Amino acid sequence: MSDEPLDHQANVLGAFALAVADRTAAAVAAAGEANPSSAAALSALLHFLDHPTLDQLRRVLGLTPSGAVRLVDRLAAAGLVTRGPGGDGRSRSVALTPEGRATAERLSAARAASLRGALGALSPAERSTLDDLIGRVMAGIVAEKEGGAWLCRLCDLTACGRDTGACPTANAAAAKYGAAAIRRDP
Amino acid sequence: MSDEPLDHQANVLGAFALAVADRTAAAVAAAGEANPSSAAALSALLHFLDHPTLDQLRRVLGLTPSGAVRLVDRLAAAGLVTRGPGGDGRSRSVALTPEGRATAERLSAARAASLRGALGALSPAERSTLDDLIGRVMAGIVAEKEGGAWLCRLCDLTACGRDTGACPTANAAAAKYGAAAIRRDP
DNA sequence: AACGTATGTGTGACTCAATCACATGTCAAC
DNA sequence: GTTGACATGTGATTGAGTCACACATACGTT
């Protein structure tokens, strides 16, 4: 029973995901943003091409409208974002202040450093193999996924190769939904 | 800059960890325990050999003493655990009720099913390769880690092969700390 | 053109889980 | 015995989210 390889593998995968997620969250928190939603919001704002509306942001984060209002209130009070006019009279846009942008870049760098460090245990060839396998599993996850927060929150969307076809998540999302803009995603 | 393979790999790893962690948490929540701390506590109680004290439990979960008291209060109010005498006049033990045990087993099964499902995209040989690489990265993470919650929370400690030497986390912890009992871990 | 519905934002009241500061009881060591 | 460390528990507070609801704007229908 306990020597079923699949059970072992599944269990180790679970511990691994938790460990990497913990470690990354800790690195981001140490870089100055303890709240995961706030960190994800700042990161998202860094990667939106245009300034998103509150509603776009809330979908990325998987929050209710009022939750998003509160979040943006907090970020604005901290001087990290400002509200501006939206494309339409109902909506308002959210933009990073210079300080918010600096914070977001710091968080992003801390995350990347933490993840690169984790991969330090492997040789380049092994990392490449791991990357391939992870990409395949990821594609399956995206294909199955329904609802919830954006999977690529906190990602650096240039590093993953979203636009050059190297990002497995973006590719799987494109296969599932058709053309994938940054602002609507699994 | 964005075609550095390491940056791509690191970024995909980050998204992957988040995706698997999200998915697992959702599966556990759907099985009836929305709060991650509560779920981790039930799972831990399922795997402790003897009945742990509140303090042992709080270390596993990475909570403050008062946080652990509140958590056990909630679980007890829900009829999932009971408090008993501890080995010592100061401490009290926490034990699962039959209902708590059933809940814990249900959560654990939901987690395992979710993780096995994620691995379904790979062939047995690929899973084995992935398992090996993950184990190596995991060992590095354990070696670096200091503080925080238990990495193996929610794990099925028989499935991972903790006692047969197959669990990379347990092995790395043993190398770091010496003999590893279930109740003191990375 | 006017009406009714949908959408986006915001507010008030509340919940839930954690924290800190502190109190109490117990053990161990000197 | 006294002193100090430790385990548990309590009161007050915080933080981040929810729901129910209000309000303004946009859009589609007739």
Side-chain angles (χ1 to χ4, degrees):
Chain A
M1 47 191 74
S2 86
D3 45 7
E4 284 279 2
L6 182 54
D7 285 337
H8 161 84
Q9 292 156 358
N11 205 61
V12 170
L13 173 61
F16 177 69
L18 215 49
V20 173
D22 277 7
R23 179 186 157 99
T24 306
V28 168
E33 195 50 76
N35 182 321
S37 285
S38 299
L42 292 172
S43 169
L45 288 168
L46 202 52
H47 291 288
F48 269 101
L49 298 173
D50 45 358
H51 296 158
T53 66
L54 247 150
D55 194 57
Q56 291 174 320
L57 196 54
R58 104 183 166 75
R59 288 175 207 277
V60 166
L61 302 176
L63 291 179
T64 56
S66 31
V69 169
R70 303 278 143 92
L71 169 58
V72 170
D73 285 349
R74 293 195 303 271
L75 293 173
L80 301 175
V81 308
T82 53
R83 280 181 240 236
D88 117 348
R90 298 171 288 186
S91 59
R92 313 195 57 186
S93 64
V94 182
L96 289 171
T97 62
E99 189 186 340
R101 167 169 292 268
T103 302
E105 282 165 353
R106 202 170 60 240
L107 300 186
S108 186
R111 167 181 180 274
S114 163
L115 291 165
R116 281 196 306 266
L119 289 173
L122 301 181
S123 73
E126 289 168 335
R127 286 202 299 264
S128 170
T129 304
L130 179 65
D131 186 57
D132 173 55
L133 294 171
I134 281 181
R136 309 257 301 283
V137 175
M138 193 74 181
I141 291 177
V142 171
E144 280 184 27
K145 176 174 166 75
E146 210 50 66
W150 192 39
L151 286 185
C152 293
R153 60 195 196 275
L154 297 174
C155 274
D156 177 338
L157 298 181
T158 58
C160 71
R162 178 185 198 84
D163 302 318
T164 64
C167 175
T169 312
N171 294 343
K176 187 176 181 184
Y177 298 113
I182 163 172
R183 40 151 301 218
R184 188 60 200 114
D185 244 337
Chain B
M1 49 191 69
S2 89
D3 45 6
E4 284 279 2
L6 182 53
D7 284 337
H8 162 83
Q9 292 156 358
N11 204 61
V12 170
L13 173 61
F16 177 68
L18 216 48
V20 173
D22 277 7
R23 179 186 156 100
T24 306
V28 167
E33 194 50 78
N35 182 320
S37 287
S38 299
L42 291 173
S43 169
L45 288 168
L46 202 52
H47 291 289
F48 269 100
L49 297 173
D50 45 358
H51 295 158
T53 66
L54 247 149
D55 194 57
Q56 292 174 321
L57 197 55
R58 102 180 168 75
R59 288 175 207 278
V60 165
L61 303 176
L63 291 179
T64 56
S66 30
V69 168
R70 302 278 144 91
L71 169 58
V72 171
D73 285 350
R74 293 196 303 272
L75 294 173
L80 301 175
V81 308
T82 54
R83 280 182 241 235
D88 185 273
R90 299 171 284 186
S91 59
R92 312 194 58 185
S93 64
V94 183
L96 289 170
T97 63
E99 189 186 340
R101 165 169 294 268
T103 302
E105 282 165 353
R106 201 170 62 240
L107 300 186
S108 185
R111 167 182 180 272
S114 163
L115 291 165
R116 281 196 306 265
L119 289 173
L122 301 181
S123 73
E126 289 168 335
R127 286 202 299 265
S128 170
T129 304
L130 178 65
D131 185 57
D132 173 54
L133 293 171
I134 281 181
R136 308 256 301 282
V137 175
M138 193 74 182
I141 291 177
V142 171
E144 280 184 27
K145 177 177 165 74
E146 209 52 66
W150 192 38
L151 287 185
C152 293
R153 59 196 196 275
L154 296 174
C155 274
D156 177 338
L157 298 180
T158 57
C160 71
R162 178 185 197 82
D163 301 318
T164 65
C167 175
T169 312
N171 294 343
K176 187 176 181 184
Y177 298 113
I182 163 171
R183 41 151 301 219
R184 188 58 201 116
D185 243 337

